[in-house]
Amino acid sequence: MTTAEAPVQTQTPQTPFYRLGGAPVFEAICERFYDLMDQDPAYDDLRRMHAPDLSPMRELLPQFLAGWAGGPRDWFDANPGKCMMSMHKPFPIDRKTAGQWADAMERAIADVSPEPADVAKAMGEVLAHMARGMARD
């Protein structure tokens, strides 16, 4: 076989999205996150900020996180020029609700427990920091 005939080897990017397991893991994290928000009274204030039907968010958050973490950028392609900060500007996010979001996301990541654990923990910490940065009080 000549070099021209050799199969092209594709490497998976070493981004958090792929290292943690890709779309199924991000979908599981988001499902757990919204289950916590929907079922645990500790997140009541956060839950009240959302529509009664969480289905659209359950679909969109994993897409956003995928692109944010170095995976497919479908959410960003569908929402050019938008970011989480601008998308959440109309909402009255205070320290309490930002903290609830951060806590629920860190719990969801811990409950799904993707590997490598250090990458998962770091992702949760960065997302929590981002959420707390949205508080306007």
Side-chain angles (χ1 to χ4, degrees):
M1 181 179 300
T2 67
T3 306
E5 297 170 340
V8 176
Q9 291 190 354
T10 315
Q11 285 190 312
T12 301
Q14 289 299 302
T15 64
F17 176 80
Y18 293 103
R19 289 187 66 202
L20 293 171
V25 169
F26 280 71
E27 290 164 5
I29 289 168
C30 293
E31 283 296 316
R32 180 64 182 140
F33 170 78
Y34 285 113
D35 287 349
L36 287 167
M37 193 172 76
D38 217 17
Q39 299 165 4
D40 190 327
Y43 309 115
D44 282 350
D45 294 326
L46 178 64
R47 180 63 182 96
R48 280 192 292 277
M49 292 179 76
H50 289 77
D53 181 9
L54 292 173
S55 299
M57 299 309 304
R58 287 178 185 266
E59 182 180 333
L60 293 174
L61 184 58
Q63 291 175 17
F64 168 79
L65 291 178
W68 175 82
R73 298 193 51 83
D74 299 340
W75 186 93
F76 293 92
D77 293 342
N79 297 282
K82 294 185 180 175
C83 70
M84 278 298 110
M85 298 299 266
S86 65
M87 300 283 289
H88 287 83
K89 191 172 184 171
F91 298 98
I93 300 170
D94 58 19
R95 276 182 268 188
K96 185 176 182 183
T97 53
Q100 287 179 8
W101 193 100
D103 183 68
M105 181 54 71
E106 288 183 307
R107 275 185 62 190
I109 292 169
D111 289 352
V112 172
S113 62
E115 291 292 334
D118 62 328
V119 174
K121 183 173 176 26
M123 184 178 79
E125 290 169 354
V126 170
L127 288 169
H129 183 73
M130 184 172 69
R132 288 186 176 99
M134 289 188 197
R136 292 185 293 274
D137 69 343

